Amino acid sequence: EAQVTQNPRYLITVTGKKLTVTCSQNMNHEYMSWYRQDPGLGLRQIYYSMNVEVTDKGDVPEGYKVSRKEKRNFPLILESPSPNQTSLYFCASSFNDGAYEQYFGPGTRLTVT
Amino acid sequence: QQQVKQSPQSLIVQKGGISIINCAYENTAFDYFPWYQQFPGKGPALLIAIRPDVSEKKEGRFTISFNKSAKQFSLHIMDSQPGDSATYFCAATNSRFRRGSARQLTFGSGTQLTVLP
């Protein structure tokens, strides 16, 4: 089954404790992206990657890091989480880039206290 | 600055009614306008999309209407059903221009639709 998986689905952590949210896709997609979803703000892009070792900032990259060492994986790293990073996070992938259908993961609900 | 403005924020419709969600954009270079549907606890999924060379696209009960001169597009859900209750996002991108980086989707703020039985 073609899918994007994220782990964990739910995470509660404390300010400053480094965490990683994993994302994996099995569709051999070149493009992968991270979004955060906040009430009234919709989906805002954090980082994206066009291919292995190629990443770039989206609209809200501050406080986040990413890496793309393998085509299928695109982890999101919060080196020092803060309460304003409490949000619902989605990983997505597509055949080429944002001009094509994006397939979203199930989401990760992060709470930073 | 939000480049795609979506309204209303929430919408309640009776079963069998018509649901209408509106979006307006500012960037005249946008030429691909998808709508994504998100059920509770799930990620968004592509519902329907339109390019500005047509004024309307219909897929089943879902129709996108596009007004290029007004820079507006809308989603119409005919004969709305309780199973349509979800959050709907409009989005836009410039599908032809790539300046050394990927083309990005700009999303609207979302509309939470509730269809009453």
Side-chain angles (χ1 to χ4, degrees):
Chain A
E1 179 189 357
Q3 60 181 352
V4 177
T5 57
Q6 294 179 228
N7 283 291
R9 294 290 312 277
Y10 302 91
L11 180 58
I12 301 174
T13 190
V14 296
T15 299
K17 185 177 182 180
K18 180 179 179 180
L19 65 92
T20 299
V21 183
T22 64
C23 173
S24 182
Q25 51 93 5
N26 62 1
M27 295 169 279
N28 201 35
H29 284 163
E30 297 168 343
Y31 178 87
M32 297 186 74
S33 179
W34 276 102
Y35 296 89
R36 60 178 289 174
Q37 181 178 352
D38 302 288
L41 297 177
L43 291 155
R44 294 180 293 166
Q45 190 177 54
I46 302 170
Y47 269 95
Y48 66 92
S49 169
M50 291 178 68
N51 216 323
V52 175
E53 302 293 358
V54 180
T55 63
D56 206 348
K57 297 177 180 179
D59 297 321
V60 288
E62 294 77 22
Y64 304 94
K65 286 178 59 177
V66 293
S67 68
R68 186 92 180 271
K69 293 181 168 46
E70 303 169 284
K71 194 172 185 178
R72 62 183 292 128
N73 296 323
F74 189 44
L76 178 69
I77 303 159
L78 284 71
E79 295 265 359
S80 182
S82 62
N84 64 12
Q85 293 179 297
T86 292
S87 186
L88 180 58
Y89 291 87
F90 288 100
C91 179
S93 72
S94 71
F95 169 68
N96 202 331
D97 58 23
Y100 295 81
E101 178 176 3
Q102 295 196 32
Y103 294 82
F104 284 80
T108 296
R109 173 75 68 181
L110 172 65
T111 302
V112 183
T113 61
Chain B
Q1 180 184 4
Q2 191 171 29
Q3 294 193 57
V4 178
K5 295 184 179 180
Q6 183 172 347
S7 63
Q9 187 172 354
S10 63
L11 180 62
I12 300 175
V13 175
Q14 292 285 342
K15 178 182 177 181
I18 301 174
S19 304
I20 302 175
I21 304 170
N22 300 299
C23 286
Y25 63 97
E26 299 168 0
N27 188 342
T28 55
F30 286 156
D31 66 350
Y32 173 66
F33 303 90
W35 284 86
Y36 279 77
Q37 180 188 51
Q38 182 184 26
F39 291 107
K42 305 289 187 182
L46 180 65
L47 179 64
I48 185 173
I50 195 170
R51 297 190 185 275
D53 51 347
V54 297
S55 60
E56 185 175 283
K57 182 174 182 180
K58 184 176 182 179
E59 291 184 2
R61 296 184 293 107
F62 299 90
T63 300
I64 300 179
S65 297
F66 187 85
N67 186 330
K68 188 174 182 179
S69 61
K71 293 186 287 184
Q72 296 175 348
F73 59 109
S74 59
L75 176 69
H76 295 238
I77 306 174
M78 311 300 289
D79 187 26
S80 298
Q81 299 297 311
D84 297 330
S85 297
T87 300
Y88 293 81
F89 293 97
C90 62
T93 190
N94 181 343
S95 69
R96 280 190 286 270
F97 177 73
R98 175 184 284 170
R99 188 175 54 198
S101 62
R103 291 161 292 197
Q104 307 308 319
L105 269 180
T106 298
F107 285 89
S109 55
T111 296
Q112 186 168 350
L113 171 66
T114 302
V115 181
L116 301 176

